[in-house]
Amino acid sequence: PSVIVKKLFLDGIMVTVNQEIDFEKAQEIALGYDIIAEPEEKIDVIEELLKEEDEDESVLVPRPPVVCVMGHVDHGKTSLLDAIRDAHVTDREAGGITQHIGAYGVSINGQRITFLDTPGHEAFTAMRMRGANSTDIAVLVVAADDGVMPQTIEAINHAKAAGVEIIVAINKIDKPSANVDRVKQELSEYELIPEDWGGSTVFVPVSAKTHEGIDNLLEMILLTAEVLELKANPKRHARGLVLEAKLDKGKGPVANILVQKGTLHVGDYIAAGACSGKVRAMMDENSRRLKEAGPSTPVEVLGLNDVPNAGEILVATETDKEAKNFAATFVSEGKNRLLEDTKAKMSLDDLFSQ
Ligand code: GTP
Ligand code: MG
């Protein structure tokens, strides 16, 4: 603004920073300058976030599937995830206290699966809007004694909109009132037709209570993932998704991040939404400290200067300045009128001092 006000002044036009000028004058001025003041630093945040770099096949390596568990309230999503973890407790670090981090990894005979357990949650809505990059497979949990309910339908719509593969887990089959066929019937109205009925959707009857069918479900998830041939480049700056974040009294801002691409390291400069910082420490879902986290890994990240919003994208950058610039640009693009205040506060002396 100072440059423009000065230029106008020299042209004999006295204006204040928040004054309007006519289009012709604005155009004349704009044509006289490189409009982007600092080309190599200016980041088009939206562009940057949506950009899908073409990565060379040779740098891509297999990554674990990210599986979102969705469904109507009380149909047993959390119980199912607990059952999966209990059944494979030997694959986990002993003594770890599982925290609520919204996502965790399970290792099945050496093959990892990342589960997201905040499905009907705002984080998922944000993910859906960001595109299909975050979740690979949706496990739709439907209680066999309750059938298709409003949030079941909502979950189906979310998964379809995101273009994710749906696997149906018919839960609570241990209950006397369970009716698996009714669930199949009801879901076929939403184009989810079981294979034994001539369709192409995988249906797995399970019980989170007795653990019946759990291994079969995991097998189906791994089979589906295999077909998807999921890959990522672990050797680039990390990019991830904020699943949830909070302010912790002792630790400061804590963000639960799903690393989607690249590898996040302790010491990396990061930005997420309007926040920036440096990774001070990272923890997995068992509170083990990690030095680095590769694609499809959920981690708790300490070191941001503020609490980002769920659904915002985290990026690791080369320099501190870049991270700050990223966050600042996010703010300026999001609330682009913010500048007006600052401008109004500038005195004429400030304007001419440059
Ligand atoms: P929200 O997170 O609130 O949407 O619920 P949820 O889908 O996570 O359901 P949750 O796992 O909390 O289970 C709801 C209730 O169903 C609990 O009382 C569970 O004990 C019960 N439940 C879950 N799975 C089974 C099952 O396979 N059999 C039986 N009998 N009960 C189950
Ligand atoms: Mg739950």
Side-chain angles (χ1 to χ4, degrees):
S2 61
V3 176
I4 292 168
V5 170
K6 197 170 175 178
K7 162 96 174 110
L8 285 164
F9 179 77
L10 295 174
D11 285 355
I13 304 164
M14 285 293 288
V15 292
T16 58
V17 266
N18 45 8
Q19 188 170 325
E20 274 187 31
I21 54 174
D22 61 37
F23 181 80
E24 280 69 34
K25 197 72 204 167
Q27 191 176 40
E28 183 193 319
I29 291 166
L31 288 172
Y33 292 98
D34 183 356
I35 301 168
I36 298 164
E38 295 159 294
E40 60 283 287
E41 281 185 37
K42 170 87 179 172
I43 302 167
D44 185 334
V45 173
I46 309 301
E47 185 75 4
E48 188 71 16
L49 293 181
L50 296 176
K51 193 167 73 186
E52 259 318 305
E53 307 90 342
D54 277 330
E55 304 228 51
D56 191 347
E57 263 303 302
S58 65
V59 299
L60 300 179
V61 301
R63 64 169 177 84
V66 177
V67 179
C68 204
V69 180
M70 312 192 295
H72 193 74
V73 92
D74 276 353
H75 278 200
K77 300 176 290 291
T78 304
S79 305
L80 206 54
L81 291 173
D82 285 348
I84 289 167
R85 278 190 293 182
D86 287 348
H88 294 272
V89 76
T90 48
D91 285 328
R92 285 192 293 157
E93 269 295 288
I97 300 159
T98 306
Q99 298 183 336
H100 177 64
I101 82 159
Y104 60 87
V106 187
S107 176
I108 317 294
N109 305 325
Q111 282 175 286
R112 289 191 61 83
I113 303 175
T114 299
F115 284 102
L116 301 189
D117 75 348
T118 54
H121 189 268
E122 58 189 308
F124 186 73
T125 309
M127 274 178 229
R128 180 171 54 85
M129 294 194 322
R130 295 289 185 199
N133 299 343
S134 40
T135 304
D136 305 303
I137 298 167
V139 169
L140 182 69
V141 179
V142 186
D145 61 337
D146 206 20
V148 172
M149 298 299 277
Q151 275 167 254
T152 316
I153 299 163
E154 197 194 294
I156 295 170
N157 292 336
H158 282 194
K160 281 190 178 167
V164 271
E165 206 69 38
I166 299 176
I167 293 177
V168 178
I170 305 180
N171 191 31
K172 308 198 187 184
I173 53 164
D174 59 282
K175 284 197 161 185
S177 53
N179 188 342
V180 170
D181 277 351
R182 195 188 86 189
V183 175
K184 288 183 175 175
Q185 179 65 55
E186 288 172 349
L187 283 177
S188 58
E189 286 168 33
Y190 297 90
E191 292 158 33
L192 295 175
I193 303 166
E195 285 173 318
D196 51 335
W197 288 15
S200 60
T201 307
V202 175
F203 278 65
V204 189
V206 293
S207 167
K209 192 177 173 187
T210 66
H211 291 198
E212 189 184 343
I214 299 286
D215 282 342
N216 193 15
L217 176 63
L218 292 170
E219 198 180 312
M220 288 306 164
I221 292 170
L222 288 172
L223 274 175
T224 307
E226 212 178 292
V227 175
L228 295 175
E229 290 189 43
L230 305 163
K231 287 178 179 172
N233 173 9
K235 292 204 175 119
R236 45 162 285 166
H237 282 135
R239 169 163 310 198
L241 188 72
V242 178
L243 296 171
E244 51 186 21
K246 60 174 192 288
L247 189 63
D248 182 281
K249 262 190 195 158
K251 303 180 201 166
V254 178
N256 292 327
I257 305 293
L258 172 67
V259 177
Q260 295 172 296
K261 295 173 169 185
T263 300
L264 189 63
H265 309 85
V266 168
D268 279 355
Y269 295 109
I270 48 170
C275 317
S276 64
K278 186 177 181 176
V279 180
R280 199 167 73 232
M282 287 194 292
M283 266 77 69
D284 72 3
E285 65 279 3
N286 297 317
S287 300
R288 272 184 310 177
R289 281 192 173 244
L290 299 178
K291 281 210 169 71
E292 52 176 47
S296 299
T297 311
V299 280
E300 191 178 276
V301 173
L302 305 187
L304 281 168
N305 64 355
D306 206 346
V307 182
N309 296 310
E312 279 171 351
I313 307 253
L314 174 128
V315 291
T317 57
E318 188 68 37
T319 63
D320 180 36
K321 198 172 174 186
E322 224 179 301
K324 286 193 177 120
N325 194 30
F326 210 100
T329 314
F330 187 91
V331 172
S332 68
E333 305 245 325
K335 307 169 194 154
N336 48 14
R337 295 272 67 88
L338 199 78
L339 266 178
E340 296 298 338
D341 282 358
T342 329
K343 278 198 262 175
K345 283 183 196 127
M346 286 171 100
S347 71
L348 265 181
D349 281 346
D350 290 331
L351 292 177
F352 286 101
S353 66
Q354 297 192 350

